[in-house]
Amino acid sequence: MKRRTAREKALQALFQIDISDVEPSDAIHHVLDGSPQDEYLNRLVYGVIEKRDSIDQLIVNNLEKWTIDRLANVDRNLLRLAIFELHFCHDEVPENVVFDEAIEIAKLYGDDQSSRFINAVLSKVKQ
């Protein structure tokens, strides 16, 4: 599976986990829909879940006039995913790739403002 696809599937799984409180393995199984398991997809989903408290704190610290609960579910989980890659996959994924991928995925799954919002928050987080 291409990494872009793994990121999109990870976002879908994280979204399910966030709104339905399903088990990560069930969410991954659901988004794969019969496709073979993917190591990077698993790493992203389980990594975000494991580090969620510290990732969420980074998000909270870099929001202006917003709370994390007020964020759109897609935006919140895309930020979690991108911050996980920035902080915990930096040896294998360049920073600019994380930004580009997050922005492009935001254009697909978010609303009209999502890509700019994601870019702004990630820019603050990386500083």
Side-chain angles (χ1 to χ4, degrees), residues 13-46:
L14 291 167
F15 182 89
Q16 285 181 27
I17 293 163
D18 197 27
I19 64 167
S20 301
D21 201 29
V22 299
E23 289 297 317
S25 59
D26 293 336
I28 291 170
H29 178 74
H30 183 260
V31 300
L32 284 174
D33 195 31
S35 297
Q37 287 288 322
D38 182 79
E39 183 180 324
Y40 199 66
L41 167 62
N42 289 332
R43 180 175 177 198
L44 292 174
V45 172
Y46 287 107

Side-chain angles (χ1 to χ4, degrees), residues 43 51 54-55 83-92:
R43 180 175 177 198
K51 305 290 186 185
S54 62
I55 291 170
I83 291 169
F84 176 78
E85 281 195 292
L86 277 175
H87 285 258
F88 302 102
C89 302
H90 53 83
D91 290 344
E92 62 182 287

Side-chain angles (χ1 to χ4, degrees), residues 58-59 61-65 86 99 118-127:
L58 283 169
I59 294 170
N61 292 345
N62 290 284
L63 291 175
E64 292 181 16
K65 302 178 185 172
L86 277 175
F99 271 70
I118 296 293
N119 187 38
V121 175
L122 289 179
S123 293
K124 290 180 179 185
V125 167
K126 83 166 192 161
Q127 292 177 347

